[in-house]
Amino acid sequence: MTTTIRDESTASAYWAAVNTFCALRDVHVIADAPVGCYNLAGVAVMDYTDALPYLENFTPTSLTEKEISSSGSTARVREIIDSLHGTGKRLILVSSAESEMIGSNHAKMLEQHYPDVSYFDSNSLGDNEWQGREHALEWLHRTYDDGAEARVEPGTVSIIGPTYGCFNSPSDLAELKRLITGCGLTVRNVYPMESNTADISELKHSELIVVMYHEFGRGLADRLGRPVLHAPFGLRETSTFLERLGDLTGRQKDAARFLAREKQTTLKPLWDLWRGPQSEWFPTVKFGVVADSTYSRGLKTFLADEMGMQCLFSHDCAETDNNLVRNELAAEQPQFLFGRMPDKIYLAELGAKTRFIPAGFPGPVVRRALGTPFMGHSGTVYIIQEIVNALYDTLFNFLPISPRTDAAPGQSETVRWSPEANAILEEIVRKAPFISQISFGRELKKKAEALAIQQGNEVVTPEILQQIRQKG
């Protein structure tokens, strides 16, 4: 049976290679890609956001029908390499799905004519972007590590993970650095986003490695042979993270002092929100998450396990069926949905009253400011602040505001409801988020009665409700 795929959730390993290699300051990437294919990454619209800036260290071969069908891309590759020699950058040639389909492997040609240029087979046809990033990071280590023994520098930590195209990376990286330095430690390398290829050999000299994402980076971290921690979400994970930083580096007292200070400073707003009247809403809040595994797991851990909210679903978008996501939203609408642009589209198609909060790509969202963290202690405050503000915004719909316009003709007429229509109305309203059910039901009732009057009916029937639902 043929399976219909609704919306792609991840890019391919080709994009992963571009996002990883171009983050290195001393690298220039040559993409063996066809005309137009590279343009998405080259002009920063792959995720419709400046999470991927204009890439000045990126040159495509711009394969045309001629190269693909007959001559191949060797001549074009050599021309580009010749033009880039002397720039002082390390050159890496990356395959694309199209070059892989025509068997355009340049490894032997480079070995013979350009031994200083590296060739990376991205396996774009086989791997998604998370597998591709893992592959790219491990390949960089094999290619550029100096092979020397580790000389561990006490008190130093390196972070592996931040690459182009990662959601909310600047804010979460800033929070991770804040937690590490708060324990009296030094951030030695942020790899690859703030590094050169020479820093690959320096990673193993760090006392500790922090992997920022669960999707990729652990493979390289394990190769380095240093103790490894993952970036934390929520209260319990962050406290444990700080304690482990202290234990693994002999800075237990520094970590304990920092954690005590965090409870009096960074976390105080969260405590205030928890003790306030709005905390009574928290057990009624239903939410869903569709995001990369780091965020889907982290948001569920914090909001459901620690704050007591109701998690209807939490999906790793690299693995989930988007048709299933849409069906779940149709069956029961969460009050909040942390997700991607496809999920926002599904909500619009369903006419849902759900509050959408961006939590992943693809999506038209800019996350370059440092004040929007999801990770760590600062992340707990930011996320709860956003939820509480949205709850108050929802209450605005309950205010008895009358527009300063004359009532439409016929609106004062009395319309009865059939028992069947009433039952359907109640069922529809029950599927809406709890806190917005009153306003949602009131709005739907007004629309149904107005349509009945317009059609000359004295009774609202199931057919009228069906017409409204079809109109969205």
Side-chain angles (χ1 to χ4, degrees), residues 205-278:
H205 304 317
S206 300
E207 188 171 14
L208 181 67
I209 301 294
V210 175
V211 177
M212 192 161 173
Y213 304 107
H214 287 269
E215 298 91 297
F216 67 98
R218 183 62 190 248
L220 173 58
D222 288 341
R223 290 173 66 92
L224 297 172
R226 309 305 313 139
V228 178
L229 296 177
H230 277 277
F233 268 77
L235 298 168
R236 188 179 300 109
E237 276 192 13
T238 305
S239 295
T240 301
F241 176 79
L242 296 175
E243 291 168 357
R244 291 290 291 151
L245 281 176
D247 291 341
L248 292 170
T249 61
R251 305 291 181 98
Q252 293 92 339
K253 292 183 179 180
D254 289 333
R257 279 194 293 266
F258 178 65
L259 180 55
R261 189 165 69 248
E262 285 284 276
K263 294 176 181 179
Q264 299 298 322
T265 54
T266 306
L267 288 175
K268 190 174 185 303
L270 185 67
W271 179 236
D272 293 340
L273 290 168
W274 179 257
R275 291 186 300 178
Q278 62 278 336

Side-chain angles (χ1 to χ4, degrees), residues 116-278:
D116 58 335
V117 178
S118 300
Y119 180 71
F120 179 75
D121 182 356
S122 71
N123 192 26
S124 183
L125 293 173
D127 291 344
N128 66 25
E129 62 178 304
W130 308 124
Q131 296 165 325
R133 280 186 172 92
E134 187 76 81
H135 180 198
L137 289 173
E138 292 187 31
W139 178 87
L140 284 169
H141 184 264
R142 290 194 303 271
T143 304
Y144 297 113
D145 181 58
D146 60 12
E149 291 187 7
R151 303 182 308 277
V152 176
E153 183 180 346
T156 59
V157 178
S158 286
I159 300 170
I160 293 177
T163 59
Y164 289 133
C166 290
F167 175 78
N168 208 41
S169 184
S171 277
D172 286 330
L173 176 59
E175 172 65 1
L176 197 52
K177 288 180 176 178
R178 189 185 71 84
L179 296 175
I180 293 169
T181 56
C183 293
L185 302 168
T186 300
V187 176
R188 178 173 185 149
N189 294 106
V190 176
Y191 191 77
M193 188 60 78
E194 299 176 5
S195 301
N196 298 318
T197 52
D199 295 321
I200 298 173
S201 295
E202 297 298 314
L203 288 171
K204 60 177 173 283
H205 304 317
S206 300
E207 188 171 14
L208 181 67
I209 301 294
V210 175
V211 177
M212 192 161 173
Y213 304 107
H214 287 269
E215 298 91 297
F216 67 98
R218 183 62 190 248
L220 173 58
D222 288 341
R223 290 173 66 92
L224 297 172
R226 309 305 313 139
V228 178
L229 296 177
H230 277 277
F233 268 77
L235 298 168
R236 188 179 300 109
E237 276 192 13
T238 305
S239 295
T240 301
F241 176 79
L242 296 175
E243 291 168 357
R244 291 290 291 151
L245 281 176
D247 291 341
L248 292 170
T249 61
R251 305 291 181 98
Q252 293 92 339
K253 292 183 179 180
D254 289 333
R257 279 194 293 266
F258 178 65
L259 180 55
R261 189 165 69 248
E262 285 284 276
K263 294 176 181 179
Q264 299 298 322
T265 54
T266 306
L267 288 175
K268 190 174 185 303
L270 185 67
W271 179 236
D272 293 340
L273 290 168
W274 179 257
R275 291 186 300 178
Q278 62 278 336

Side-chain angles (χ1 to χ4, degrees), residues 170-470:
S171 277
D172 286 330
L173 176 59
E175 172 65 1
L176 197 52
K177 288 180 176 178
R178 189 185 71 84
L179 296 175
I180 293 169
T181 56
C183 293
L185 302 168
T186 300
V187 176
R188 178 173 185 149
N189 294 106
V190 176
Y191 191 77
M193 188 60 78
E194 299 176 5
S195 301
N196 298 318
T197 52
D199 295 321
I200 298 173
S201 295
E202 297 298 314
L203 288 171
K204 60 177 173 283
H205 304 317
S206 300
E207 188 171 14
L208 181 67
I209 301 294
V210 175
V211 177
M212 192 161 173
Y213 304 107
H214 287 269
E215 298 91 297
F216 67 98
R218 183 62 190 248
L220 173 58
D222 288 341
R223 290 173 66 92
L224 297 172
R226 309 305 313 139
V228 178
L229 296 177
H230 277 277
F233 268 77
L235 298 168
R236 188 179 300 109
E237 276 192 13
T238 305
S239 295
T240 301
F241 176 79
L242 296 175
E243 291 168 357
R244 291 290 291 151
L245 281 176
D247 291 341
L248 292 170
T249 61
R251 305 291 181 98
Q252 293 92 339
K253 292 183 179 180
D254 289 333
R257 279 194 293 266
F258 178 65
L259 180 55
R261 189 165 69 248
E262 285 284 276
K263 294 176 181 179
Q264 299 298 322
T265 54
T266 306
L267 288 175
K268 190 174 185 303
L270 185 67
W271 179 236
D272 293 340
L273 290 168
W274 179 257
R275 291 186 300 178
Q278 62 278 336
S279 66
E280 296 182 7
W281 294 331
F282 292 169
T284 72
V285 170
K286 297 179 180 180
F287 72 96
V289 187
V290 187
D292 307 327
S293 63
T294 296
Y295 290 86
S296 61
R297 185 199 62 83
L299 286 166
K300 180 179 183 297
T301 296
F302 172 53
L303 294 178
D305 299 346
E306 296 186 336
M307 302 305 292
M309 300 180 190
Q310 302 176 50
C311 183
L312 298 182
F313 53 81
S314 176
H315 294 307
D316 175 357
C317 63
E319 300 177 355
T320 192
D321 180 351
N322 285 327
N323 289 297
L324 172 64
V325 172
R326 194 181 189 283
N327 291 339
E328 286 183 309
L329 291 172
E332 185 172 10
Q333 297 172 12
Q335 193 165 342
F336 294 92
L337 178 62
F338 296 85
R340 317 145 299 163
M341 179 48 52
D343 311 307
K344 189 173 185 178
I345 292 173
Y346 304 155
L347 292 174
E349 290 173 344
L350 295 167
K353 297 297 182 182
T354 298
R355 174 63 68 96
F356 176 80
I357 297 178
F361 292 140
V365 56
V366 176
R367 290 281 186 175
R368 296 293 290 274
L370 304 184
T372 61
F374 278 44
M375 295 178 177
H377 284 158
S378 296
T380 66
V381 177
Y382 174 71
I383 292 169
I384 293 299
Q385 170 186 282
E386 290 299 287
I387 288 176
V388 170
N389 281 333
L391 291 171
Y392 281 124
D393 191 49
T394 301
L395 287 178
F396 183 81
N397 294 319
F398 296 165
L399 297 178
I401 299 174
S402 299
R404 300 183 62 180
T405 57
D406 295 332
Q411 289 295 304
S412 61
E413 300 178 38
T414 301
V415 180
R416 294 183 294 107
W417 282 68
S418 71
E420 296 81 5
N422 255 324
I424 293 174
L425 176 66
E426 291 176 3
E427 179 63 25
I428 295 173
V429 171
R430 268 199 299 269
K431 292 182 179 179
F434 175 78
I435 204 169
S436 61
Q437 285 181 1
I438 295 175
S439 60
F440 177 65
R442 183 176 60 202
E443 181 182 344
L444 183 57
K445 191 172 183 179
K446 288 173 62 176
K447 287 182 179 179
E449 292 177 354
L451 182 58
I453 293 170
Q454 181 182 337
Q455 295 179 355
N457 296 321
E458 296 181 354
V459 179
V460 175
T461 63
E463 290 73 23
I464 290 177
L465 286 173
Q466 181 64 27
Q467 293 175 38
I468 291 175
R469 295 183 74 176
Q470 289 175 346

